[in-house]
Amino acid sequence: MSIVVITADIVQLEVDAIVNAANPTLLGGGGVDGAIHRAAGPRLLAACRALPETSPGMRCPTGEVRITPGFDLPARWVIHTVGPVWQDGSHGEPGLLAHCYRASIALAAAHRLHSIAFPAISCGVYGFPAERAAAVAVAALREALLHHADLQVQLCGFDVRMSAILQHALDTHEHG
Ligand code: AR6
């Protein structure tokens, strides 16, 4: 089991899978979602469009995950997940965010992957406070990795501020 924090553009990482912080349509958007679609090329959008709809126009409910190839990315796979939109914290946001991390690990393990990189899901447009999101992410990952000891996890901050918050959560969780 290993979790490390890095600062990077996630689209450049040579890992088995990168996680996308998507929206329920899975048809792309801004932020990390837009960056992943640009780097993976148009086949990614076609693969997402081909996934079954759970309700009209929707392919991935909040907290759930879907997997596609990575196409032009160095990563072989993209695990798409939909984080919660932050309201005030009393609408199940922490539980839904934890589920994104747990379900991503379970799906990676089911595909026998060895390395996976996560962006800070929900910490951009979706407005989840970064410190709270980092604590949720670390707790969920540590628990999930108890069952998947050979998975290497990278928590990828896009800037040093986010990486410092993720590293602090990792250190805090380790020592307490
Ligand atoms: N590599 C790593 N991290 C990144 C990158 C990148 N290339 N680009 C942005 N981030 P966001 P959300 C960071 O807004 O809050 C999309 O439109 C960013 O700095 O991408 O889950 C979707 O379609 C932030 O810390 O995702 C949805 O509609 C983190 O990734 C909505 O945004 C997440 O920011 C999802 O919002």
Side-chain angles (χ1 to χ4, degrees):
M1 166 174 93
S2 76
I3 306 176
V4 296
V5 173
I6 61 166
T7 307
D9 182 344
I10 202 166
V11 305
Q12 298 179 350
L13 299 180
E14 296 183 13
V15 286
D16 290 336
I18 61 171
V19 175
N20 184 16
N23 63 68
T25 69
L26 295 189
L27 296 183
V32 71
D33 193 8
I36 288 172
H37 274 272
R38 279 193 297 279
R43 289 178 295 168
L44 181 61
L45 184 59
C48 287
R49 211 181 277 284
L51 292 168
E53 294 185 351
T54 54
S55 61
M58 304 299 170
R59 293 176 180 78
C60 186
T62 302
E64 293 192 14
V65 293
R66 301 290 187 267
I67 191 166
T68 66
F71 298 105
D72 297 342
L73 290 165
R76 283 169 46 220
W77 300 97
V78 178
I79 293 176
H80 307 262
T81 191
V82 179
V85 177
W86 179 263
Q87 298 179 62
D88 59 5
S90 72
H91 291 76
E93 297 96 326
L96 288 164
L97 185 63
H99 201 265
C100 292
Y101 285 92
R102 282 200 298 268
S104 296
I105 294 293
L107 192 57
H111 284 258
R112 301 184 187 284
L113 307 187
H114 297 294
S115 56
I116 181 169
F118 287 89
I121 300 163
S122 286
C123 290
V125 176
Y126 279 2
F128 207 118
E131 283 82 1
R132 287 190 67 176
V136 168
V138 168
L141 286 170
R142 285 210 182 283
E143 193 193 322
L145 289 175
L146 292 176
H147 309 287
H148 304 292
D150 56 347
L151 252 176
Q152 296 181 347
V153 175
Q154 296 182 354
L155 283 172
C156 176
F158 197 34
D159 51 44
V160 290
R161 182 189 146 273
M162 191 69 225
S163 303
I165 290 169
L166 291 166
Q167 187 65 54
H168 179 73
L170 196 57
D171 295 344
T172 305
H173 197 272
E174 246 165 10
H175 301 134

